[in-house]
Amino acid sequence: MQIGMIGLGRMGGHMVDRLQRGGHHCVVYDRDPAAAQRFISSGADPAPSLEILVRRLATPRVAWLMLPAGQPTEDTVSALGERLDSGDIIVDGGNTFYKDDVRRARLLLPRGIRYVDVGTSGGVWGADRGYCLMVGADPDAFALITPLLRTLAPGQGNVPPSPGRAPGGTAEEGFLHCGPAGAGHFVKMVHNGIEYGLMQAYAEGFDLLRSAGSDQAAETRYDLNVADIAELWRRGSVIGSWLLDLTAMALAESPALEQYTGYVQDSGEGRWTIEAAIERAVPAEVLSAALYARFRSRQTHTFAEKLLSAMREKFGGHREQPGGVSRT
């Protein structure tokens, strides 16, 4: 299947690699021409502009955006809306606010252009492991892009089926039609809110383990090897997870995490999750506390916050950058 990929950074570039290996043909565009040129060797077709990218795609066209949320995505969707035809599809795979998806889908509808939002999880590891894809779209658009989703997703057999669940459905392959426009990014928003809470729990727990050596009472003072404990918990523990795998990796590389300051950014989706909880009067104490802990990290830094920074770098390649919200 042919696809136009716009934005070739950490996520978009890796997705092109996976799609090309899966037999799809990618027409690629990035505002940095050099970023597009590096995909020639894998058979991709670099386009020097959005206009040329659109011309090179066969109808119905599929233009997939992997851009920072906010104005970069807004401007690109608007530009594509002026160039695409009825029946074409715009896919936003970035971390967009779900209400923006609803608005954009409504604006594109009179022209017959279909808008799809895909919440994408998998970070820098997705090129090899595959991506968990949460899709908001009309059923026809979802069906049309399903071959792309199936290639990008991890596929069946990566996780045992849940006991008591009847087999079948794309969820077992790693992608799901969640509902109409906005639904995919709403699910991804809540996913990231949960991620904040899980990361905070690991960070605080390991901070407590590390502090055991400072207990004033000798009989309860323990010099614990946190890297070994992380490795131990990966094997048979009920709290095992991919985040714990990444935690163990970071601690094995640097038990004291000297290279991190503990300044923890947030992607914006944690804030949106809390806003959604407030709008619906749903209690979200853990998710709220995890977000506020990131705000506090910009004033004082603990070992727990260094570990949060380490986890963010491991799963998404996010480097510490003082300044607040991270849009990547």
Side-chain angles (χ1 to χ4, degrees):
M1 183 173 177
Q2 190 187 43
I3 178 177
M5 182 66 74
I6 300 164
L8 305 172
R10 285 193 302 262
M11 294 287 284
H14 286 162
M15 292 173 80
V16 169
D17 290 335
R18 190 170 178 89
L19 288 166
Q20 293 280 127
R21 291 199 303 269
H24 302 282
H25 175 65
C26 297
V27 181
V28 297
Y29 169 77
D30 193 276
R31 65 179 180 178
D32 176 10
Q37 289 296 316
R38 79 176 182 86
F39 291 97
I40 293 178
S41 60
S42 65
D45 180 10
S49 68
L50 286 178
E51 188 172 19
I52 292 176
L53 178 140
V54 169
R55 287 210 304 261
R56 291 180 180 174
L57 293 174
T59 57
R61 304 175 182 90
V62 178
W64 190 307
L65 283 62
M66 291 302 297
L67 299 171
Q71 208 58 47
T73 297
E74 189 73 29
D75 292 344
T76 305
V77 170
S78 178
L80 288 171
E82 296 171 358
R83 292 167 171 80
L84 294 176
D85 298 320
S86 179
D88 293 342
I89 295 175
I90 296 175
V91 180
D92 178 9
N95 288 331
T96 288
F97 185 41
Y98 71 98
K99 290 184 180 179
D100 288 336
D101 294 316
V102 175
R103 173 179 53 80
R104 291 171 188 161
R106 188 181 300 122
L107 289 173
L108 292 167
L109 188 60
R111 295 203 55 192
I113 298 171
R114 294 172 286 181
Y115 182 91
V116 176
D117 54 285
V118 178
T120 306
S121 183
V124 296
W125 300 78
D128 296 320
R129 291 169 56 106
Y131 301 90
C132 175
L133 303 169
M134 297 147 264
V135 186
D138 70 64
D140 290 341
F142 176 78
L144 194 149
I145 67 169
T146 288
L148 301 172
L149 300 172
R150 185 161 277 128
T151 298
L152 290 169
Q156 293 180 336
N158 290 273
V159 179
S162 298
R165 176 184 169 89
T170 65
E172 294 179 7
E173 298 181 62
F175 67 100
L176 181 68
H177 183 208
C178 298
H185 278 146
F186 185 87
V187 174
K188 176 57 162 51
M189 175 190 73
V190 177
H191 163 287
N192 278 29
I194 294 170
E195 177 188 296
Y196 281 33
L198 290 172
M199 292 173 69
Q200 188 67 29
Y202 281 128
E204 291 178 9
F206 279 98
D207 200 8
L208 180 58
L209 291 171
R210 186 171 179 269
S211 71
S214 62
D215 196 311
Q216 296 301 309
E219 65 270 20
T220 55
R221 188 183 306 132
Y222 307 118
D223 184 17
L224 301 173
N225 187 317
V226 293
D228 281 351
I229 292 170
E231 192 63 30
L232 169 70
W233 285 351
R234 294 181 60 220
R235 290 162 168 77
S237 167
V238 72
I239 64 168
S241 72
W242 185 37
L243 280 173
L244 182 60
D245 295 344
L246 299 175
T247 298
M249 183 188 304
L251 291 171
E253 293 172 355
S254 175
L257 304 176
E258 296 96 341
Q259 69 271 43
Y260 301 99
T261 67
Y263 187 107
V264 187
Q265 300 180 38
D266 66 283
S267 64
E269 289 184 295
R271 305 181 190 210
W272 301 338
T273 304
I274 304 310
E275 290 174 8
I278 292 170
E279 290 174 357
R280 292 161 176 80
V282 174
E285 297 96 331
V286 172
L287 309 190
S288 299
L291 177 63
Y292 294 149
R294 295 194 177 198
F295 295 164
R296 185 187 54 75
S297 79
R298 296 159 200 174
Q299 300 169 352
T300 58
H301 309 313
T302 66
F303 182 80
E305 280 134 13
K306 289 185 178 184
L307 192 54
L308 286 173
S309 285
M311 281 188 271
R312 292 187 82 246
E313 182 180 13
K314 289 302 179 189
F315 72 71
H318 304 293
R319 301 296 178 88
E320 288 183 332
Q321 295 181 9
V325 176
S326 169
R327 292 301 182 188
T328 59

